[in-house]
DNA sequence: ATCTCCCCTTGACCTAAGTCAAAGCATATT
DNA sequence: AATATGCTTTGACTTAGGTCAAGGGGAGAT
């Protein structure tokens, strides 16, 4: 297991001794698609690291509308906040596909941080980046309309793929709606509109960026579609 | 200056030696109301701690609409994220009133964290709590309507004041609008509506909670006002 | 091959909340 | 005291996007 652990960015730069320690305290769990990992309000008893698969962390309104806060991919830790603040989970976590997850109990993990400053700094960097992502999400929700959010999403996915114009959505469109703070119907309409305007081309979950500059303008300001 | 430093929660539990070191690297700055501390896109060269006054951190849309991410009060650190993630500031910071701020340059601060695990853990706890706050903000923006956000705001202020029903807003209403992701006109209308419904009583910046349960229902779900 | 369960799309409708404009207040400054 | 500047409220109007309802397709299961 210590091999998987060494591959996790959070643990980069640690000594072999610490890898072994981590391997000693880690609990290895497997989940199939659609399983709940934790729910809002649960006690935060440790840190999770996703080894394989995909996990969404989300809020639910009483009416059932879902706002996804983050979709985690391989190698990413989650549930950290409640480890350090000693609070309950502020959101739900559920697998989007078959996943494998390592769980590190709180106390042992904190001990390790106390002893290894590079682990502390890694953790600080990760939390900082996450904070920054949330900042962007808040900006999107508050200052952009749905087309702008969608355009921004496409551009950011494209960037992750080294600027390719051919994108494959790795989450279903109804999940994407939840990530953008809207509902599937609206997303569907806006996709159709973007196609009509010649901004993108859509074929199922394949998206092709046709007019990158148009998308950029849309993502940037409140320009009308 | 080491006296002020000892009073900062972030530095709780440090040794006298570390207080002195911090005092050694800190830069003491004074600002009057309305001054920019940093702008979005600036290089994050250090950590700020607010000693006195009030600072808002906010995003601006191209049209000039403002979304406040956080209003910082005495003793709170800000601008930390860019210290650890080595990124630019994702938002603007401006004083809401005359303020005094200590600035800790990045490198020296990181050195100190490496040497003192309790500082690292304090920092982790603060970032975690901030992350949690952002989670609530996202939830509000995405899953609640403005009346619900406002009700939630009143309840949270009341909680901070040990559950008192008599609140004094410590920010102007137009700022509050920015914090709730809306505009002053809308806020004004909703306040009037809440008064009409007998939920609260308003006198300038004094708010009196009349029907706490009504506010709680409003804050909770999407109930109609 | 057909069934079935989702996922996705489209249409008609409605409402929360933003825009624009104007006027009333309050606080601080000279 | 007078003036200016920024905060707050109200009114009339517009619109993004949510709700409800009804179909259409694709992938795995039997």
């Amino acid at each position: 297991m210590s091999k998987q652990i060494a591959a996790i960015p959070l643990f980069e730069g640690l000594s072999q001794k610490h890898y072994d320690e981590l391997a000693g305290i880690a609990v290895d769990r497997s989940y199939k698609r659609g399983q709940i990992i934790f729910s809002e309000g649960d006690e935060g008893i440790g840190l999770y690291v996703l080894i394989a698969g995909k996990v969404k962390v989300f809020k639910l309104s009483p009416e059932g509308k879902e706002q996804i806060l983050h979709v985690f991919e391989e190698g990413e830790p989650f549930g950290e906040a409640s480890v350090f603040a000693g609070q309950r989970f502020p959101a739900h976590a559920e697998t989007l596909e078959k996943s494998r997850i390592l769980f590190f109990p709180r106390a042992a993990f904190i001990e390790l941080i106390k002893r290894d400053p590079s682990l502390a700094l890694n953790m600080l960097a990760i939390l900082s980046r996450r904070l920054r992502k949330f900042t962007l999400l808040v900006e999107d929700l508050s200052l952009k309309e749905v087309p702008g959010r969608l355009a921004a999403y496409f551009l950011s996915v494209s960037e992750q793929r080294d600027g390719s114009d051919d994108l494959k959505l790795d989450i279903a469109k109804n999940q994407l709606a939840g990530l953008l703070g809207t509902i599937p119907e609206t997303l569907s309409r806006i996709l159709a509109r973007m196609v009509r305007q010649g901004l993108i081309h859509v074929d199922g979950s394949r998206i092709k960026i046709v007019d990158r500059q148009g998308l950029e303008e849309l993502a940037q300001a409140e320009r009308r579609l």
Side-chain angles (χ1 to χ4, degrees), chain A residues 100-168:
Chain A
R100 185 172 160 215
I101 295 170
L102 292 184
F103 174 78
F104 299 90
R106 186 165 188 267
F109 189 73
I110 288 186
E111 265 317 301
L112 205 53
I113 281 200
K114 279 192 190 151
R115 273 181 291 130
D116 193 327
S118 76
L119 178 54
L121 285 173
N122 284 352
M123 199 73 239
L124 284 167
I126 284 177
L127 286 181
S128 298
R129 274 195 297 269
R130 191 144 308 156
L131 216 37
R132 189 164 193 284
K133 277 210 72 158
F134 273 31
T135 291
L136 295 178
L137 180 55
V138 169
E139 175 179 22
D140 278 7
L141 289 172
S142 173
L143 304 178
K144 287 181 188 155
E145 300 184 345
V146 181
R149 295 176 213 164
L150 183 57
Y153 179 79
F154 286 150
L155 292 170
S156 111
V157 171
S158 164
E159 199 172 348
Q160 282 166 35
R161 309 277 197 284
D162 310 305
S164 160
D165 284 347
D166 264 301
L167 312 175
K168 175 116 174 29

Side-chain angles (χ1 to χ4, degrees), chain A residues 2 5 15 20 24 27 44 49 61 65 69 78 86 92 95 118 126-127 133 136 155 177 182 201 206 209 224:
Chain A
S2 140
I5 289 179
S15 66
D20 295 341
V27 182
V49 178
S61 81
K65 188 182 166 190
L69 296 171
F78 62 98
H92 308 274
T95 52
S118 76
I126 284 177
L127 286 181
K133 277 210 72 158
L136 295 178
L155 292 170
T182 186
H201 183 254
R206 307 202 73 84
I209 295 179
R224 294 282 164 268

Side-chain angles (χ1 to χ4, degrees), chain A residues 76-92:
Chain A
E76 294 190 276
F78 62 98
E80 343 78 349
S82 43
V83 168
F84 303 112
Q87 292 171 122
R88 291 161 184 281
F89 290 115
H92 308 274

